Amino acid sequence: MKHHPVPDSLSTPVRRYLFRWEIFLLLVIAMVFILNSLASPYFLDPWNLSDATFNFTEKALIALPMAMLIICREIDLSVASTMALASVCMGLAAQAGFGTETLVGIALLVGLLCGLFNGLVVTGFGIPSIVVTIGTMSLYRGITYVILGDSAFTEYPDGFEYFGQGYVVWVFSFEFILFLGLALVFYVLLHHTNFGRRTYAIGHNPVAALYSGIQVNRHKVILFMLVGMLSGLASILLTSRLGSTRPSIAIGWELSIVTMVVLGGVSIAGGAGSMTGVVLAVLLMGLVTFGLGLLNVPGIVMTIIIGAMLISVISVPVVLNKLKQRRKVR
Amino acid sequence: MKPLSLIRRRESFLGVVILVLILAVGLITPEFLSAGSLLGAFNDTSILIILALGQMLVIVTRCIDLSVAANVALTGMVVAMLNASYPFIAVPWLLLLAMTLGALLGMINGLLVWRLGVPAIVVTLGTMSIYRGAVFLLSHGAWVNAHQMSAGFIEFPRTTIAWLPVMSWIALTVVLVFFLLTRYWRFGRDFFSAGGNPTAAFYTGIDVGWVQFRAFVISGLLAGLCGYLWVSRYAVAYVDVANGFELQVVAACVIGGVSIMGGIGTVVGCVLGALFLGVINNALPVIGVSPFWQMAISGAVIIVAVIANSRAERRKGRVILRTPTLNMARG
């Protein structure tokens, strides 16, 4: 549980800005950036940096609504399986001869429905979302195995490859531009709308939120649907980038997405976090993986570093806080 | 505390479902009902049962341990590599080493949760990738195969004593110890007090963080035990051993009626939850259903089971005023 102490004075803007999580992340990013450009001469090439964005944009897209869901005290572990299901449905439709527009619609719809089902089970029966989505995680993934077995879809209509492989201008890929646009949309949604304020209110105190007239359950179902829909979108990008669908597509992604969100300063206990933090965490993870990749560090060793980063970054403020309190007691 | 009759009802219900399942499979393929086949199914589920019991203690104290499967892989790899290089080290020593190493890995989780107050899901998400990566660092991605392991190493869990293989006996022993622990020892009851109502536990003099630490250590110790059992049973050790198994372990607990909110859970329920998954895994190939169905079915089962459990918990909630509103808000 994260504690929010009542401030003892109201006018300390400079100090508060200095100790913001986002500033801390920014410093770490700057450090990683400098270290990377010192370590490898290939790092600062714009095309290389552009290639690096492909590794995290699909996950990052899901991290945006996931941050809101976690702020709202819920979690969705079924996102990667939702992606697989959406991808398989697109594959089925492509085999039946449907065009690109239909495929996009199908993926978004499947994602939306998966999210709706999660949301309805969680709110309708009052079950913790971590349990429900562990269940739907194997349910959705299981359905893809039932449909596909050990085969794969590889035939997609012309023009479909643009989503995952196309560039808008110069080095800026369609994926990355889409991510930047949606990050802006979610920033506004979380920090400048009633919907966003309600998300924080529910995360802080669901009972108080209910008594002040917020339709808690409806709000949560909408958030689950958002997460589902963006998983569908991520599925379009990934399927288009790979050009094929296997039942094991995007396996294990849910954990890296949650890592991104938590690294971004979103409290797993709900009620706290910002979209800026999440976007910065996404960039940080992207830079670290890319830099290590240039140094020929194998993928599994990167997971060690990301795991250690997650734990240490989360515990640094806790340790600092403890030291500060100890000094106060003296 | 829930009335005893209700606990009995839920667990006997699960027991009946398992029996019906076994009989239904037996109707299609009578060979499944033979003692040998049923004991084989139990033996196959031993590891899941042991891990689920450790996980139960962690969940009961309002935490979760997602690093168990990675712990199994790491301890399994350590003992397998030791055995391959130094075949003269006797199996009991390796078993002891695996359990100590597992407990140490659990201790790291426990310390981070207890001393730093980092949420358990974050800690174990992190250590899960660290432990899994450590297997790779240790083995450089190489496999330890059956021919590199000594005969004793592979034979130990298979040795039959009084009709049952040693692996089944180990699972039965763990079940018995846990039954006594959670019912009659204060050490065991503390887990339930700490998870059921941390504030009340604090005022009765129970250090909640310390109790959570112990739960993680026990979960890690059992994961270490299973690390050896896993590599010797399948006679192979590689980086992806037990990949994703942590979710099956949590699922077994949830199906067995362990509440993810903490404080509620029984050994019998937990064992039945694991057996339920075990029977499904064993029965599907027997009745000729493609193994590709296994994942979808266990997913559906988890959802149905948690819905059934939530009903049982809600019935208890009506006793206290306002709890239904709380549940609504929480959901």
Side-chain angles (χ1 to χ4, degrees):
Chain A
M1 292 277 174
K2 207 171 182 179
H3 295 285
H4 302 278
V6 179
D8 47 2
S9 68
L10 288 173
S11 55
T12 50
V14 180
R15 271 189 71 180
R16 209 185 302 157
Y17 270 107
L18 270 181
F19 287 105
R20 292 249 335 227
W21 185 254
E22 288 81 358
I23 302 293
F24 177 64
L25 279 178
L26 215 53
L27 287 177
V28 179
I29 289 179
M31 206 174 70
V32 172
F33 202 87
I34 293 170
L35 281 180
N36 270 340
S37 29
L38 289 180
S40 166
Y42 307 106
F43 179 77
L44 278 178
D45 181 68
W47 283 102
N48 278 348
L49 283 175
S50 165
D51 280 350
T53 62
F54 284 102
N55 286 326
F56 62 84
T57 29
E58 290 126 7
K59 291 176 192 166
L61 279 179
I62 306 178
L64 300 172
M66 181 76 90
M68 293 188 74
L69 193 64
I70 293 182
I71 290 174
C72 204
R73 284 205 195 181
E74 301 290 345
I75 196 167
D76 187 349
L77 294 180
S78 72
V79 281
S81 303
T82 304
M83 284 180 72
L85 191 55
S87 184
V88 163
C89 291
M90 277 193 291
L92 284 175
Q95 282 209 324
F98 286 102
T100 304
E101 297 83 4
T102 326
L103 295 195
V104 170
I106 285 175
L108 294 179
L109 184 70
V110 169
L112 199 73
L113 289 178
C114 288
L116 178 68
F117 182 73
N118 286 336
L120 288 182
V121 175
V122 168
T123 57
F125 297 97
I127 311 169
S129 50
I130 183 165
V131 182
V132 173
T133 55
I134 282 179
T136 52
M137 177 177 158
S138 37
L139 180 66
Y140 300 158
R141 175 81 62 188
I143 296 174
T144 68
Y145 272 104
V146 170
I147 295 176
L148 264 179
D150 47 10
S151 60
F153 291 128
T154 49
E155 295 295 317
Y156 286 96
D158 290 337
F160 185 68
E161 74 283 346
Y162 178 76
F163 298 107
Q165 300 170 20
Y167 289 86
V168 178
V169 273
W170 193 43
V171 294
F172 295 101
S173 64
F174 175 76
E175 284 198 353
F176 194 60
I177 297 288
L178 186 67
F179 166 67
L180 290 182
L182 281 172
L184 194 67
V185 169
F186 273 94
Y187 177 80
V188 173
L189 184 65
L190 180 62
H191 296 292
H192 294 285
T193 64
N194 287 342
F195 188 83
R197 295 312 302 166
R198 282 189 213 120
T199 309
Y200 280 111
I202 297 170
H204 263 300
N205 190 337
V207 181
L210 186 72
Y211 284 152
S212 44
I214 298 175
Q215 288 188 302
V216 174
N217 283 351
R218 201 185 66 178
H219 191 92
K220 286 183 174 173
V221 172
I222 293 175
L223 280 181
F224 272 108
M225 283 162 72
L226 263 180
V227 173
M229 201 172 75
L230 275 258
S231 309
L233 183 64
S235 171
I236 299 172
L237 300 182
L238 182 65
T239 312
S240 152
R241 182 158 67 89
L242 301 177
S244 72
T245 299
R246 279 174 204 289
S248 61
I249 191 170
I251 207 156
W253 277 27
E254 60 282 332
L255 296 179
S256 25
I257 291 166
V258 172
T259 308
M260 281 177 178
V261 174
V262 173
L263 201 59
V266 172
S267 160
I268 206 100
S274 79
M275 218 32 98
T276 323
V278 174
V279 172
L280 288 176
V282 162
L283 293 178
L284 176 62
M285 272 179 71
L287 280 180
V288 170
T289 6
F290 176 55
L292 293 174
L294 282 182
L295 297 177
N296 282 330
V297 174
I300 189 139
V301 179
M302 285 185 207
T303 67
I304 300 189
I305 293 171
I306 287 172
M309 214 163 72
L310 175 70
I311 293 178
S312 49
V313 164
I314 295 297
S315 38
V316 161
V318 182
V319 174
L320 286 180
N321 218 6
K322 275 202 168 167
L323 288 177
K324 217 197 292 179
Q325 275 176 356
R326 200 170 289 171
R327 207 175 295 156
K328 262 184 197 165
V329 170
R330 269 180 205 163
Chain B
M1 197 63 216
K2 198 175 307 267
L4 202 64
S5 60
L6 189 66
I7 293 178
R8 284 219 180 106
R9 205 184 304 159
R10 187 197 298 172
E11 272 138 25
S12 43
F13 174 71
L14 190 54
V16 169
V17 170
I18 293 176
L19 277 182
V20 169
L21 199 67
I22 291 176
L23 287 177
V25 176
L27 276 180
I28 302 170
T29 16
E31 300 91 73
F32 188 70
L33 288 183
S34 74
S37 147
L38 288 177
L39 288 179
F42 177 80
N43 196 45
D44 277 344
T45 320
S46 298
I47 291 180
L48 185 58
I49 292 176
I50 299 172
L51 290 177
L53 286 172
Q55 185 73 257
M56 180 185 84
L57 284 192
V58 177
I59 294 182
V60 155
T61 60
R62 298 199 176 184
C63 291
I64 193 163
D65 188 352
L66 295 176
S67 72
V68 275
N71 190 334
V72 166
L74 183 53
T75 49
M77 180 55 86
V78 168
V79 290
M81 286 176 72
L82 266 180
N83 181 254
S85 317
Y86 309 100
F88 51 84
I89 302 177
V91 171
W93 290 111
L94 288 179
L95 209 54
L96 193 68
L97 177 82
M99 282 157 69
T100 319
L101 185 63
L104 276 173
L105 295 178
M107 217 177 265
I108 296 175
N109 291 331
L111 275 177
L112 287 166
V113 171
W114 175 33
R115 302 309 296 188
L116 293 184
V118 184
I121 184 168
V122 177
V123 168
T124 54
L125 209 56
T127 52
M128 176 175 89
S129 358
I130 296 175
Y131 298 165
R132 181 71 67 181
V135 187
F136 178 85
L137 284 186
L138 200 68
S139 64
H140 301 288
W143 292 39
V144 181
N145 289 308
H147 65 88
Q148 292 163 279
M149 299 173 182
S150 69
F153 185 83
I154 295 177
E155 280 311 312
F156 179 70
R158 285 162 231 266
T159 317
T160 309
I161 303 173
W163 305 290
L164 276 180
V166 167
M167 184 137 103
S168 299
W169 282 115
I170 293 178
L172 286 174
T173 315
V174 174
V175 171
L176 183 69
V177 170
F178 263 72
F179 187 77
L180 297 174
L181 173 79
T182 55
R183 259 183 173 226
Y184 301 110
W185 294 351
R186 215 187 76 190
F187 177 78
R189 294 307 309 165
D190 280 356
F191 295 109
F192 293 84
S193 320
N197 189 338
T199 318
F202 176 77
Y203 283 122
T204 37
I206 296 169
D207 183 344
V208 176
W210 169 231
V211 174
Q212 288 170 335
F213 172 77
R214 290 188 298 203
F216 275 108
V217 174
I218 294 176
S219 168
L221 183 135
L222 293 178
L225 172 68
C226 291
Y228 164 72
L229 290 178
W230 191 294
V231 293
S232 70
R233 159 134 185 105
Y234 297 104
V236 64
Y238 54 100
V239 176
D240 283 333
V241 156
N243 210 354
F245 201 67
E246 63 275 347
L247 295 175
Q248 276 215 43
V249 173
V250 175
C253 290
V254 168
I255 293 172
V258 178
S259 166
I260 210 89
M261 305 282 203
I264 301 173
T266 62
V267 171
V268 179
C270 199
V271 171
L272 287 175
L275 280 178
F276 188 85
L277 287 178
V279 167
I280 289 183
N281 291 351
N282 273 279
L284 286 183
V286 173
I287 56 173
V289 173
S290 135
F292 291 121
W293 278 90
Q294 188 188 312
M295 206 177 205
I297 290 178
S298 53
V301 162
I302 295 168
I303 296 168
V304 172
V306 288
I307 290 176
N309 283 342
S310 81
R311 293 240 163 121
E313 271 168 43
R314 187 165 291 185
R315 206 172 297 141
K316 161 212 155 200
R318 287 210 184 110
V319 182
I320 307 162
L321 196 69
R322 281 189 190 163
T323 310
T325 15
L326 264 168
N327 278 343
M328 256 170 71
R330 202 183 281 151

